[in-house]
Amino acid sequence: MPAFLAPHKSGVHRVTAIALYRALLNKCRAAPPPLEASTLQAAVRNTFAKNRHVTSRNALQIGFAGGYEALDYLDSAIAGDESSISHLKSLQARMPAALRTTTTTAPPKSTPTAEAKPAAQPGTALALRPRPAFSLPSRRRIPVLVSANKVPILRFTKPQPAALSHYLKSRIVDRQKRLDRKVALEAHLEIAKGEDEWDRILLAQGVQDEGGSEKGKNPLWSREVYGCYRYTLDAIDAEGLKNKDMAEKMVAIIDKEKELAEIERKERKRLKNEERRKRKAGSSFTDGERKALPSMLQLFL
């Protein structure tokens, strides 16, 4: 391991330490009855937690040597070696109280819940248009009405905002799903009509359906399919009306923006003319000064 690299940032050191830690815990769990497995495991956990920020090479070398020595004693104790068991028992008796207790993790701090954002109301963005002149960063720019795959939008600047792109994508995907559902239901409706015709033929011949329905009271296959088909058509028509209403509102906004832009243009022109007149009045001569100007010039000739 390079000298400039901290031990806890070295992959080799981390793998070795974790392997030793797990091996010690497994051996402590399998310790023979004279030894307290929970106490030994607590000692291993506390020792590793205490030395997890140690960066001294000598201290780490001593710690690893002690860990491997303890692992050898545990292996011998599990195998039934009385000397290893007595040695570990004496160490357990002389173990400090800080190592005996199991460290309990502190309860997680309660994070303050974020305040719920108010739900977006439909039409709120359009209701804020047109904006007043004092809230604009520069001159008023008249928006352009754009049909993005039959979805009306007002384009103020380029490039297009990411939020608007996500909105258009979701609208287009939903509409395409409705159109695909409409095509599929049209095919299912033809099949259902064929099933109804077949049921009428069977009923005309006196054959009762499997459901045991009485004559003239059997449900139509096409009824449920047509209900779904009608619901899909209504959703498509509602979206078209929504787009039309939105486009009309946007056209009204563009008209207002044009009116305000013209008013602001005239106001800028008026202020510019006033400023020009003030500059001209400040630099112009009076009639007496104009008459005295030639005589004043003669003084310098």
Side-chain angles (χ1 to χ4, degrees), residues 11 14 25 33 73 83 92 117 124 132 138 143 145 174 176 190 195 198 214 228 242 255 272 275 282:
R14 289 174 60 85
L25 289 180
Y73 275 108
S83 60
Q92 182 177 335
K117 296 182 179 179
T124 304
S138 59
L145 180 61
D174 291 342
Q176 188 60 42
E190 294 298 326
E195 292 290 341
W198 177 249
E214 298 179 2
C228 297
K242 177 182 177 181
D255 294 339
K272 188 175 181 180
E275 186 178 357

Side-chain angles (χ1 to χ4, degrees), residues 31-179:
L35 302 174
E36 297 179 4
S38 60
T39 303
L40 295 177
Q41 287 180 339
V44 171
R45 291 192 180 96
N46 292 332
T47 303
F48 271 82
K50 179 182 177 182
N51 298 326
R52 68 180 183 274
H53 296 304
V54 175
T55 57
S56 173
R57 294 179 178 273
N58 295 332
L60 290 174
Q61 187 175 3
I62 294 173
F64 274 106
Y68 287 119
E69 184 180 0
L71 193 61
D72 293 337
Y73 275 108
L74 286 170
D75 286 334
S76 301
I78 293 172
D81 187 8
E82 294 296 335
S83 60
S84 299
I85 294 175
S86 61
H87 179 71
L88 291 175
K89 190 174 182 180
S90 63
L91 290 178
Q92 182 177 335
R94 292 183 283 108
M95 192 179 298
L99 294 179
R100 289 173 172 270
T101 57
T102 305
T103 57
T104 57
T105 58
K109 297 181 180 179
S110 59
T111 56
T113 57
E115 297 182 359
K117 296 182 179 179
Q121 299 179 359
T124 304
L126 293 180
L128 299 176
R129 298 288 179 177
R131 294 169 57 185
F134 65 85
S135 64
L136 297 176
S138 59
R139 289 188 180 183
R140 185 180 300 276
R141 294 182 179 180
I142 300 175
V144 180
L145 180 61
V146 179
S147 175
N149 204 341
K150 296 184 179 181
V151 179
I153 60 172
L154 282 179
R155 188 179 65 196
F156 288 88
T157 58
K158 289 184 178 181
Q160 182 172 287
L164 180 58
S165 300
H166 293 313
Y167 169 75
L168 292 176
K169 183 179 179 181
S170 63
R171 288 284 304 273
I172 294 171
V173 169
D174 291 342
R175 186 181 61 196
Q176 188 60 42
K177 287 181 180 179
R178 295 190 188 98
L179 294 176

Side-chain angles (χ1 to χ4, degrees), residues 130 142-143 248-262:
I142 300 175
E248 292 176 354
K249 292 181 179 179
M250 291 179 178
V251 170
I253 290 175
I254 292 175
D255 294 339
K256 293 180 181 179
E257 292 278 359
K258 289 181 178 179
E259 293 177 2
L260 292 177
E262 182 64 20

